Amino acid sequence: MTDVDPDVDRDVAWLTPDTPVDLDNCAREPIHVPGSIQPRGVLLAVSEPDLVVVQVSENLAGLTGVAWSDALGRPLAEVIGVAPAGAVVRSASAFGDLRERNPVELTLDVGGDPVPVDAILHRAVLGGARDEHGQPTGTDPPQTNLVVELEPARGPRPFSFPNTYQAVRGTVGALNRASTLQELYDTTAQAVRDLTGFDRVMVYRYDADYNGEVVAEARAAGLNSFLGLHYPASDIPAQARALYEKNWIRLISDVDYVPSPIHPTAHPVTGRPLDLTYSTLRSVSPVHVEYLHNMGVRASMSISLLQGDRLWGLIACHHYAGPHQPPYATRAAAEFLGSTLSLRLVDRTAEDEVHRALQVRSTLAWLTAATLDEDRPLAETLLGSPSLLDVLPADGVTLCLQGDGGTLGQRLDPALVDRLVAWAAARGEDVVATDSLPRDAPELRVPPEVACGVLVLPLAEGQYVLWHRREAVHSVDWGGDPHNKAIAEREGDSVRLSPRKSFDRWRETVRERSQPWTPQERSEVGQLRNHLVEALYARSRSIVRAAETLQRSLLTEPPSADHLDVGVRYVPATREAQVGGDWYDVFVQPDGSTVLVIGDVVGHDTAAAACMAQLRGLLRGIAYDSPGSPATVLARLDAAIDGLGLGAMATVVVGRLEHDAAGSPDGTARLRWASAGHLPPLVVGPDGAAEALTAPRPGLLLGVDPRAVRTDQVVDLRPGSTVLLYTDGLVERRDSGFDDGVELLGQALAELRDRPVEQVCDALLARLVPDGAEDDVALVAVRPLPHR
């Protein structure tokens, strides 16, 4: 059996039965368990499989001649008769949804008189294990009660439920031929009125916030029109909408009805009122009855319109002349029309959406393919033809990708763009959208005529795409003032909020709102964002690979000389797609001395790598014809940075190892060096004594002050000494300072002093950065050798 109902009362603080209901608390009114029914029929809850009556409506005797108190605890056959009970059992025993076979046409014997009755069946779940959606899990089969609702069949049945389609086949054909949504609405409204006889039938459509609009109407002569009027979401609370999504038709045949209580109020098994979610006789909220009274409505019927499982709208039927009760089969035919309209709406919406989605996807596919052309700037690609405005219509789009910016359409002030992007980035979402900046970001003070709605794709490193829409001023005609939804009425010593009484046309001018960004649009730009992230990553990797190639091509092997043992190493950072500005250099000057260089450009990106290449080339050229003074080399390099407008900053150590061209007989040498804010060179003597070379005045970084004074320092190297120049990636630690790192490096260098320099370099890296460095590491190790 498939028609068991999920719990609708989970996680809601429902009102207790004795709490008075008004507009302040009606959203928590448990309308699915009212404890009573409308008295146009009777209700019996029957246990299964023994078919014993466990709950019954108080008005049972009026239809069956059996008092409700006498029915409790008796078999169903003793209450409604053997033959009618057999028909109910046969229908309930068949497979599938009980509601698909409703009504079961019965004839009751009441005091010897035959009474034709429509029995409407469903099952109410009492217990059992449920999943997160309220559906039975199967591990603990739910216990159910068969709910039997009996409605007198007033007059001859116009048609049986199996023949419903025959009653509306002409209308179904007209719906299938309709070429516009408005034709669908109008055809349905007129057909339901012709079928049911209500004075007014409206097709009522919800917006995204569940405010409703009357989009079609068929009405009796003399009635004023409600066409085009809007009604606030509060007119139909959330729990009522939830019931409309489960039970697709609801009739109030007489708004002045006196509810018939269900006895006992609490079900014997659950101790709670019977769940009437799927009941056709369910009593309705007194607030809703009062609402209908205020509109002058004497009878009402609604039919749900669904898109998927979500309530899209209603077919709302009103009657003013008095009570009105279309028989069940007529209501079933009207429900069939509602289902047909729902399907056509889905089809029509799907057709429109598919057409639009195909266009957008075609544009997305073209743009995605175009972004693979890495020779063309990404911004130029996305602002070309087709463009981002073909993906998402707006007044303008502004972007900044890989350092390139651009705008298409209406241009925003750059300072405003910066504020909007910062606001969006702070939200921490992939897609940030609002149709009302005055409402959602009043602190930005953006004039709505400039930009009222924005949709932003915040991307890494301050990159972004931003669409904007201006204010769309429009008028909405409401059925009464939506901002004055209630009136206060005195009841004895208390005051109760009741529904409004005026439903006259009330026009509101809506300001400070743009055209909304639809869920489909948000989804599509979400796909676009994924493509952009992939394109940016691919391009950044390509740029990084090029920079790495450039960097490695510049970091050449040192010269080979019999009187020097030289080792160099460059290890890139372990962080992906990071290129640094570290470099080393070793070369011989015309006089036979050897220049040692270690440097680190400020920054960690391709710009830093490019800057490194410039500085390395400049320094080589300057140092090659500047024998004698590393400080002079640094001063001239500083002046070149300033004079050429390079805008670079870097720390550098330049050393000049002075010795005879043929080498020293005992391996002694002199190191002349100067520093521009770099870490101190280390020298370890043959006895293991380690010394960090320092200058009386620490030199400024290159690129800070071209007039900075640079001074040379000189140190004599004993035979067997090792000189080490290095960058901060070798000694920097998050949990300690540079001094601690330099000290550890000196200890390691002292322990390794007897090994060949190449082995020293590898061992230092293994000890100090065994898992790879977070920053680039460059190092130069030199040991003068005795003349051979």
Side-chain angles (χ1 to χ4, degrees):
M1 303 300 177
T2 63
D3 61 335
V4 292
D5 55 315
D7 289 338
V8 297
D9 59 344
R10 302 158 78 223
D11 303 324
V12 177
W14 297 113
L15 300 179
T16 57
D18 57 344
T19 303
V21 179
D22 61 17
L23 287 186
D24 268 346
N25 58 20
C26 66
R28 296 190 294 115
E29 181 186 4
I31 59 176
H32 60 296
V33 286
S36 64
I37 64 167
Q38 300 176 54
R40 68 171 187 269
V42 301
L43 179 144
L44 303 99
V46 181
S47 61
E48 293 184 294
D50 54 352
L51 300 176
V52 172
V53 176
V54 294
Q55 283 181 294
V56 64
S57 60
E58 189 175 283
N59 63 337
L60 178 69
L63 179 61
T64 66
V66 179
W68 69 264
S69 55
D70 294 336
L72 289 174
R74 294 173 61 185
L76 179 64
E78 295 183 11
V79 178
I80 66 172
V82 174
V88 168
V89 171
R90 285 191 296 274
S91 182
S93 300
F95 290 101
D97 192 332
L98 295 186
R99 290 168 290 172
E100 293 178 356
R101 294 185 296 280
N102 285 332
V104 181
E105 297 180 355
L106 308 178
T107 300
L108 303 184
D109 183 355
V110 182
D113 295 326
V115 178
V117 170
D118 289 332
I120 301 105
L121 311 180
H122 74 273
R123 283 191 169 84
V125 173
L126 303 180
R130 302 291 191 87
D131 64 18
E132 60 181 344
H133 304 294
Q135 298 297 332
T137 63
T139 58
D140 181 13
Q143 184 178 355
T144 63
N145 269 182
L146 179 65
V147 177
V148 181
E149 296 177 274
L150 305 176
E151 283 192 30
R154 303 180 185 275
R157 294 185 172 96
F159 47 83
S160 63
F161 184 70
N163 294 325
T164 295
Y165 174 71
Q166 298 298 324
V168 296
R169 61 182 302 177
T171 302
V172 171
L175 290 175
N176 289 334
R177 292 189 299 271
S179 59
T180 66
L181 287 175
Q182 194 59 52
E183 284 185 66
L184 288 172
Y185 303 151
D186 292 339
T187 299
T188 303
Q190 188 60 56
V192 172
R193 181 165 187 264
D194 292 342
L195 183 67
T196 63
F198 278 94
D199 291 333
R200 186 197 303 272
V201 173
M202 299 168 287
V203 177
Y204 187 85
R205 179 180 63 192
Y206 289 128
D207 65 14
D209 298 322
Y210 285 106
N211 298 307
E213 178 187 4
V214 179
V215 295
E217 178 183 54
R219 68 185 191 277
L223 292 178
N224 60 321
S225 176
F226 287 171
L227 186 63
L229 292 185
H230 292 69
Y231 294 87
S234 56
D235 278 6
I236 304 179
Q239 77 271 34
R241 295 194 297 267
L243 289 186
Y244 286 138
E245 290 174 346
K246 297 176 176 65
N247 195 348
W248 298 344
I249 191 164
R250 185 227 57 191
L251 172 67
I252 306 173
S253 58
D254 184 355
V255 299
D256 294 322
Y257 77 91
V258 176
S260 179
I262 295 174
H263 296 289
T265 301
H267 191 280
V269 172
T270 66
R272 296 183 298 175
L274 183 67
D275 189 334
L276 299 183
T277 294
Y278 293 99
S279 168
T280 189
L281 297 175
R282 176 179 59 85
S283 194
V284 296
S285 167
V287 172
H288 182 64
V289 170
E290 187 174 1
Y291 181 93
L292 294 175
H293 269 294
N294 291 348
M295 293 187 74
V297 174
R298 297 293 307 281
S300 168
M301 188 173 78
S302 62
I303 303 167
S304 301
L305 299 175
L306 304 171
Q307 279 190 319
D309 294 329
R310 185 177 184 272
L311 190 65
W312 176 91
L314 293 172
I315 300 174
C317 309
H318 289 171
H319 205 68
Y320 304 94
H324 188 63
Q325 183 178 333
Y328 183 85
T330 300
R331 294 170 357 231
E335 181 185 20
F336 182 82
L337 280 180
S339 298
T340 303
L341 176 58
S342 293
L343 292 173
R344 290 296 290 121
L345 288 173
V346 171
D347 289 345
R348 182 73 188 188
T349 302
E351 290 170 8
D352 294 344
E353 179 58 28
V354 165
H355 178 70
R356 195 195 65 79
L358 285 175
Q359 290 182 316
V360 171
R361 288 174 186 171
S362 175
T363 302
L364 277 175
W366 191 94
L367 290 176
T368 301
T371 59
L372 300 178
D373 180 6
E374 296 184 1
D375 293 331
R376 185 182 183 190
L378 196 53
E380 178 183 324
T381 297
L382 297 174
L383 298 179
S385 180
S387 74
L388 292 177
L389 291 182
D390 295 305
V391 175
L392 183 61
D395 292 310
V397 61
T398 305
L399 57 79
C400 180
L401 299 170
Q402 295 187 303
D404 292 325
T407 296
L408 190 63
Q410 180 192 9
R411 185 178 299 273
L412 297 179
D413 181 84
L416 173 58
V417 172
D418 290 343
R419 297 202 308 273
L420 290 170
V421 171
W423 168 79
R427 304 284 290 269
E429 302 169 7
D430 289 346
V431 179
V432 178
T434 175
D435 61 2
S436 179
L437 283 168
R439 178 194 64 209
D440 294 331
E443 69 279 5
L444 298 180
R445 301 179 182 231
V446 183
E449 66 273 13
V450 174
C452 191
V454 295
L455 189 149
V456 188
L457 302 181
L459 299 166
E461 299 178 346
Q463 301 175 102
Y464 62 86
V465 180
L466 181 152
W467 290 265
H468 68 274
R469 290 173 177 172
R470 287 174 287 194
E471 179 183 36
V473 179
H474 63 284
S475 296
V476 177
D477 288 336
W478 296 92
D481 182 355
H483 307 293
N484 186 21
K485 300 186 292 292
I487 58 175
E489 291 193 349
R490 181 166 296 280
E491 292 185 348
D493 295 331
S494 62
V495 174
R496 181 180 63 88
L497 289 178
S498 65
R500 66 185 186 276
K501 292 185 177 180
S502 173
F503 295 89
D504 293 336
R505 187 178 296 264
W506 190 90
R507 176 160 293 181
E508 178 183 28
T509 300
V510 179
R511 298 185 181 276
E512 297 187 342
R513 298 283 289 269
S514 72
Q515 288 294 326
W517 312 98
T518 67
Q520 292 82 3
E521 290 173 335
R522 298 186 192 206
S523 173
E524 287 156 358
V525 297
Q527 297 174 39
L528 172 65
R529 185 185 188 280
N530 293 337
H531 294 316
L532 285 179
V533 169
E534 292 175 4
L536 288 169
Y537 177 77
R539 287 175 178 239
S540 66
R541 286 303 305 152
S542 177
I543 294 171
V544 167
R545 285 192 295 271
E548 287 175 343
T549 301
L550 170 65
Q551 191 169 30
R552 291 181 182 279
S553 70
L554 295 175
L555 301 178
T556 55
E557 288 297 316
S560 176
D562 291 340
H563 59 280
L564 287 177
D565 187 5
V566 183
V568 294
R569 291 291 185 273
Y570 172 76
V571 180
T574 55
R575 284 177 285 183
E576 187 178 8
Q578 175 172 294
V579 175
D582 293 17
W583 90 91
Y584 64 79
D585 205 358
V586 180
F587 57 93
V588 178
Q589 288 185 304
D591 65 356
S593 61
T594 303
V595 175
L596 313 175
V597 180
I598 200 79
D600 186 358
V601 173
V602 174
H604 296 94
D605 53 22
T606 54
C611 183
M612 176 274 291
Q614 288 180 305
L615 296 187
R616 180 183 182 277
L618 281 172
L619 192 151
R620 263 199 166 216
I622 293 170
Y624 189 77
D625 66 350
S626 300
S629 177
T632 301
V633 171
L634 289 176
R636 291 181 62 186
L637 181 58
D638 217 356
I641 291 173
D642 181 63
L644 296 174
L646 300 182
M649 288 197 299
T651 65
V652 182
V653 167
V654 177
R656 173 183 165 91
L657 198 60
E658 301 170 347
H659 43 68
D660 294 336
S664 172
D666 60 356
T668 60
R670 173 171 292 177
L671 176 67
R672 188 179 303 274
W673 63 278
S675 175
H678 200 81
L679 292 169
L682 285 175
V683 175
V684 172
D687 58 356
E691 178 185 3
L693 304 182
T694 58
R697 296 175 58 187
L700 285 176
L701 279 73
L702 294 176
V704 175
D705 182 359
R707 297 168 298 179
V709 177
R710 311 290 181 184
T711 58
D712 284 340
Q713 309 298 319
V714 179
V715 61
D716 291 326
L717 302 178
R718 291 179 292 166
S721 296
T722 303
V723 178
L724 182 71
L725 310 181
Y726 54 93
T727 57
D728 56 6
L730 189 63
V731 295
E732 184 178 15
R733 299 291 182 273
R734 293 184 180 182
D735 55 352
S736 60
F738 279 117
D739 291 344
D740 295 332
V742 172
E743 183 177 353
L744 289 173
L745 177 60
Q747 293 173 0
L749 185 61
E751 294 174 10
L752 299 167
R753 66 186 183 278
D754 296 330
R755 298 188 186 184
V757 169
E758 289 280 351
Q759 294 182 18
V760 169
C761 292
D762 292 333
L764 288 175
L765 292 171
R767 286 194 186 188
L768 274 75
V769 285
D771 299 322
E774 291 189 1
D775 197 357
D776 293 356
V777 174
L779 57 84
V780 175
V782 179
R783 182 181 299 153
L785 299 175
H787 175 68
R788 289 183 291 179

